[in-house]
């Protein structure tokens, strides 16, 4: 049975290594942060639990895993024109092996590996208030002391295995999509069951169906998915992008989701029903996120506008799936786009295959998992393999599992018991010198992730050098700043339909998790905001002088700053 917990091994011993910063995680965020901070002259070491770099792209090897964000050639680091010129993407929607190969290439090209320690989990991290430093212990029994603890632990890295009765009793092969084995998994001749129809399930299901003897899909909540229309990348587009990279980069920086997608200002009510239908059809044929972002400006804010698009997609499902009963079971009924928008390659068509069965768990609930299959109220589905596409404790999960201990030894899991507040999505009060990349309250999963990682790492690097240049020992947000930020994040979300849906954006997929929208919806405005905070001398943060006996504190606020690296500013390798 799949085990999704990391297990600590050795006991801490030996000399304590000292660094300016350690970065936890060698995924998209950690790799860039290492490059950037090292270039700024900081001593940095990265610790990564996996056996390779790549983070989520290292773990998520399930069949069909692809970028569902901006697509290529735009899902990449943007800071270096060399990298943009050197790396060839094959498809518009790169698959997991291509993204992993790209990240491995970046790690080699930037000579990052010498400062990355793989197969090493952080099993404890505690802030020492006297020393103003973090004391960290690894699963290898090492102890490290650093001024800054940079958490690049991933937003979709804490795999969620639901507490279904009997889940550990299944005797066949069992895999979680977020912890897929390194070895090739064959479905040939097997009876496979997939639990879950979010992004991972929707990507994996068509691929598994092509190989398996029989596939049973256990669906609790149907979701809307839009054809990705993945295709070979147009060489002419690549040429143009490479020739105009600074302009493209500026366009990505300025766009709401960091994607080169035209954002319309037109409201759905400005068109007739026929005009809306024609536009939806055109964008459906185009594929990808165009339908969501380029149709009408109020799709995610106005219930009627949303309904018109949702009804269009429901019509497409009815049209595609031949068996009307199966089609009905696949019809979603939430506000389209308010769960992570799925993109697929032949998902609905898969249900026309003879070897695929859909089990609607709303009318036929799952009772238990047995050694030989899945039992629902109507009977047992015999299986040789079970695939858990059951998602993640998203955005906060990996941080809570890390559970760093801040002031007074209080753990983050305790601090975030009822609400996961941060300031800027980067800092947390009572956790001095802990800085997050893609933390809750930053745009994270709702912005082009590599680009977001660059912009946040740049901010973090500037902040660290601000402290270094002024001989400051610690930085930490004030509780007030944190609370105001929480309100800002919530206000942006409340102006949309997102909070009306049970989604992992809202924490609703994890029993007992606080219901709270996880991301800042400002896009470029967020990056402007954090840049302004820095320019105002890190307004909302408090500093401590480096301790040499007594402690003096200074409040962040307008002060002269010599920070030159504005978010989005270009750099060379
Ligand atoms: P998601 O989007 O959280 O989807 C998880 C799916 O698993 C979803 O359909 C859930 O149904 C289902 N699920 C979870 N627990 C159960 C139980 N107990 N019984 C039946 N079904 C269950 O995760 P993904 O991995 O697909 O996608 C996450 C992101 O990863 C995605 O955005 C990509 O960027 C990569 P529910 O909807 O809760 O009824």
């Amino acid at each position: 049975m799949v085990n999704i917990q990391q297990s600590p091994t050795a006991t801490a011993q030996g000399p304590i290594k000292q660094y300016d910063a350690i970065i936890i995680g060698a995924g998209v965020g950690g790799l860039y942060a290492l490059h950037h901070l090292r270039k700024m002259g900081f001593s940095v070491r990265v610790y990564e639990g996996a056996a390779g770099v790549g983070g989520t792209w290292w773990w998520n090897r399930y069949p069909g895993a692809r970028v569902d964000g901006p697509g290529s050639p735009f899902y990449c680091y943007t800071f270096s024109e060399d990298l943009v010129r050197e790396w060839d993407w094959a498809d518009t929607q790169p698959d997991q092996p291509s993204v992993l190969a790209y990240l491995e290439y970046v790690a080699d090209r930037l000579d990052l590996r010498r400062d990355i320690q793989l197969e090493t989990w952080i099993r404890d991290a505690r802030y020492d208030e006297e020393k103003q430093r973090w004391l960290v212990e690894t699963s290898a029994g090492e102890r490290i002391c650093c001024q800054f603890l940079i958490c690049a632990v991933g937003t979709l890295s804490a795999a969620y295995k639901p507490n279904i009765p009997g889940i550990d009793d299944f005797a066949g092969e069992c895999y979680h999509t977020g912890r897929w084995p390194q070895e090739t998994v064959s479905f040939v001749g097997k009876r496979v069951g997939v639990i879950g129809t979010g992004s991972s399930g929707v990507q994996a299901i068509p691929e598994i169906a092509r190989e398996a003897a029989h596939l049973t899909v256990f669906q609790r909540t149907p979701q809307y998915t839009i054809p990705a229309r993945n295709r070979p990348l147009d060489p002419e587009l690549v040429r143009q992008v490479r020739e105009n990279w600074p302009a493209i980069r500026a366009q990505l920086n300025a766009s709401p989701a960091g994607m080169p997608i035209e954002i319309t200002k037109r409201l759905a009510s400005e068109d007739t029903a026929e005009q809306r239908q024609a536009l939806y059809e055109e964008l459906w044929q185009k594929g990808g996120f165009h339908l969501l972002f380029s149709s009408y400006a109020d799709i995610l804010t106005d219930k009627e506008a949303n309904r018109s698009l949702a009804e269009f997609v429901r019509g497409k499902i009815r049209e595609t799936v031949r068996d009307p009963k199966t089609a009905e079971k696949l019809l979603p009924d939430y506000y389209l786009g308010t769960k992570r928008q799925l993109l697929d390659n032949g998902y609905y068509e898969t249900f026309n295959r003879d070897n695929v069965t859909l089990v609607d768990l709303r009318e036929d609930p799952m009772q238990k998992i047995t050694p030989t299959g899945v039992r629902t109220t109507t009977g047992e589905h015999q299986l040789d393999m079970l695939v858990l596409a059951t998602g993640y404790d998203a955005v906060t999960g990996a941080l809570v599992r890390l559970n760093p201990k801040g002031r007074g030894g209080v753990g983050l899991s305790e601090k975030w018991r009822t609400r996961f507040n941060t300031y800027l999505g980067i800092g947390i009060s009572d956790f001095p010198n802990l800085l997050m990349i893609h933390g809750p309250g930053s745009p994270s999963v709702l912005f082009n992730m590599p680009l977001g990682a660059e912009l946040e790492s740049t901010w973090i690097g500037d902040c660290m050098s601000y402290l270094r240049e002024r001989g400051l020992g610690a930085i930490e947000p004030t509780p007030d700043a944190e609370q105001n930020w929480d309100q800002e994040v919530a206000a942006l979300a409340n102006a949309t339909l997102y909070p009306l849906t049970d989604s992992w954006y809202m924490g609703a997929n994890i029993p007992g998790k606080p219901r709270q929208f996880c991301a800042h919806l400002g896009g470029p405005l967020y990056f402007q905001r954090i840049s302004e905070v820095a320019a105002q001398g890190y307004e909302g943060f408090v500093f401590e002088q480096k301790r040499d006996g007594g402690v003096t504190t200074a409040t962040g606020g307008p002060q002269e700053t010599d920070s030159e690296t504005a978010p989005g500013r270009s750099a060379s390798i």
Side-chain angles (χ1 to χ4, degrees):
M1 166 54 64
V2 63
N3 179 7
I4 57 175
Q5 301 296 331
Q6 64 258 28
S7 47
T9 49
T11 321
Q13 58 197 349
I16 300 178
K17 293 178 190 158
Q18 302 281 342
Y19 294 99
D20 290 327
I22 76 158
I23 297 170
I24 310 179
V28 166
L31 289 177
Y32 182 74
L34 169 60
H35 170 67
H36 184 70
L37 297 181
R38 218 168 57 177
K39 265 193 86 167
M40 293 184 82
F42 292 105
S43 63
V44 191
R45 186 138 183 97
V46 176
Y47 291 90
E48 165 61 57
V53 300
T56 294
W57 290 110
W58 190 89
W59 292 104
N60 286 34
R61 292 160 191 259
Y62 61 85
R66 288 179 182 275
V67 172
D68 61 4
S72 47
F74 308 106
Y75 181 86
C76 64
Y77 294 120
T78 70
F79 72 99
S80 155
E81 285 196 59
D82 291 344
L83 280 178
V84 171
R85 263 195 309 274
E86 290 164 15
W87 188 259
D88 290 320
W89 297 101
D91 296 332
T92 53
Q93 204 202 359
D95 60 11
Q96 177 272 336
S98 318
V99 182
L100 184 59
Y102 168 73
L103 294 172
E104 286 170 343
Y105 174 76
V106 170
D108 291 330
R109 180 73 173 79
L110 304 181
D111 190 21
L112 301 179
R113 292 184 194 268
R114 64 186 156 90
D115 291 316
I116 300 174
Q117 189 164 320
L118 299 172
E119 295 184 277
T120 310
W121 296 97
I122 299 304
R123 69 171 175 201
D124 192 38
R126 292 175 182 273
Y127 186 67
D128 183 324
E129 294 179 46
E130 275 311 304
K131 292 199 175 78
Q132 299 169 304
R133 290 173 82 80
W134 283 88
L135 189 62
V136 174
E137 280 182 27
T138 73
S139 54
E142 293 160 289
R143 286 180 298 163
I144 308 124
C145 188
C146 55
Q147 185 177 9
F148 297 98
L149 185 71
I150 298 178
C151 298
V153 292
T155 50
L156 296 161
S157 54
Y160 168 60
K161 183 172 145 190
N163 194 15
I164 301 169
I167 193 159
D168 291 322
D169 299 339
F170 184 66
E173 293 168 77
C174 181
Y175 308 111
H176 191 289
T177 45
R179 285 288 180 276
W180 201 257
Q182 299 300 296
E183 311 79 51
T184 308
V185 173
S186 170
F187 307 99
V188 178
K190 293 177 186 162
R191 298 163 303 174
V192 182
V194 174
I195 301 179
T197 52
S199 283
S200 307
V202 161
Q203 289 184 334
I205 283 163
E207 304 291 327
I208 298 174
R210 273 192 270 278
E211 261 195 34
H214 194 87
L215 171 64
T216 308
V217 176
F218 297 94
Q219 171 197 267
R220 193 166 60 181
T221 311
Q223 296 206 31
Y224 301 96
T225 155
I226 299 173
R229 307 217 187 276
N230 182 42
R231 59 195 175 277
L233 198 53
D234 175 5
E236 180 52 25
L237 171 72
V238 175
R239 192 187 59 75
Q240 281 178 19
V241 162
R242 284 178 176 163
E243 273 177 18
N244 299 296
W245 188 248
I248 301 275
R249 186 173 191 238
Q251 192 195 339
L252 296 177
N253 271 283
S255 89
M259 297 185 200
I261 279 193
E262 196 187 322
I263 307 291
T264 178
K265 290 204 163 73
R266 197 167 175 78
L267 303 179
S269 57
E270 292 176 54
D271 275 351
T272 63
E274 291 72 27
Q275 286 168 325
R276 282 196 293 270
Q277 196 71 9
L279 179 60
Y280 294 152
E281 183 60 40
E282 182 193 327
L283 298 173
W284 176 268
Q285 295 308 333
K286 208 168 173 181
F289 287 129
H290 296 283
L291 186 64
L292 186 59
F293 294 133
S294 311
S295 53
Y296 296 106
D298 50 351
I299 292 292
L300 288 170
T301 51
D302 182 84
K303 290 179 179 174
E304 276 315 307
N306 194 288
R307 266 189 206 116
S308 75
L309 179 55
E311 199 37 47
F312 170 84
V313 176
R314 283 194 284 263
K316 286 291 178 191
I317 300 170
R318 290 192 185 99
E319 223 173 272
T320 311
V321 179
R322 285 198 290 269
D323 172 35
K325 280 192 188 141
T326 306
E328 281 310 302
K329 291 177 187 170
L330 287 164
L331 298 183
D333 63 357
Y334 59 94
Y335 293 110
L336 190 149
T338 54
K339 287 178 189 257
R340 172 83 174 193
Q341 183 54 53
L342 316 187
L343 302 181
D344 72 278
N345 290 288
Y347 179 69
Y348 294 124
E349 290 82 350
T350 299
F351 294 94
N352 293 331
R353 297 177 65 107
D354 292 338
N355 68 334
V356 176
T357 308
L358 177 66
V359 176
D360 183 350
L361 298 173
R362 293 167 302 178
E363 61 182 39
D364 184 12
M366 192 180 293
Q367 291 185 329
K368 65 184 291 197
I369 294 175
T370 70
T372 52
V374 171
R375 188 174 304 152
T376 60
T377 33
T378 58
E380 178 152 340
H381 302 266
Q382 298 282 326
L383 301 170
D384 304 305
M385 186 194 289
L386 195 54
V387 173
L388 303 176
T390 47
Y392 302 86
D393 185 349
V395 185
T396 57
L399 290 156
V400 168
R401 289 181 192 181
L402 177 70
N403 197 22
K405 319 292 182 307
R407 286 193 188 283
V410 175
L412 190 58
S413 60
E414 174 58 24
K415 155 103 181 169
W416 279 356
R417 209 165 37 81
T418 53
R419 214 162 163 84
F420 38 86
N421 286 357
T422 71
Y423 180 43
L424 312 180
I426 296 178
I428 307 169
S429 69
D430 285 331
F431 290 77
N433 294 351
L434 182 151
L435 302 164
M436 296 173 289
I437 297 173
H438 294 319
S442 75
S444 72
V445 291
L446 286 161
F447 198 78
N448 186 338
M449 299 286 280
L451 175 57
E454 282 178 23
L455 299 173
E456 289 180 39
S457 298
T458 304
W459 191 96
I460 286 173
D462 288 349
C463 173
M464 285 167 58
S465 75
Y466 185 92
L467 270 80
R468 176 169 65 183
E469 283 158 15
R470 288 161 181 75
L472 297 166
I475 179 169
E476 171 188 358
T478 65
D480 275 356
E482 200 170 70
Q483 217 157 53
N484 292 339
W485 189 255
D486 178 40
Q487 282 166 13
E488 177 172 331
V489 172
L492 285 167
N494 289 340
T496 71
L497 302 173
Y498 282 109
L500 304 184
T501 298
D502 286 345
S503 66
W504 60 257
Y505 288 153
M506 292 300 297
N509 63 325
I510 303 296
K513 187 167 175 174
R515 190 177 176 94
Q516 184 179 344
F517 193 71
C518 67
H520 189 283
L521 282 171
L525 290 178
Y526 164 85
F527 294 105
Q528 195 183 317
R529 283 280 278 112
I530 65 172
S531 175
E532 282 163 11
V533 164
Q536 296 296 312
Y538 296 90
E539 198 167 23
F541 287 92
V542 284
F543 297 99
E544 280 179 6
Q545 296 296 336
K546 251 209 176 108
R547 224 180 274 273
D548 43 14
V551 182
T552 47
T553 57
T555 307
Q559 282 178 34
E560 223 179 293
T561 169
D562 58 2
S563 170
E564 287 182 343
T565 321
R569 200 184 133 109
S570 245
S572 64
I573 291 180

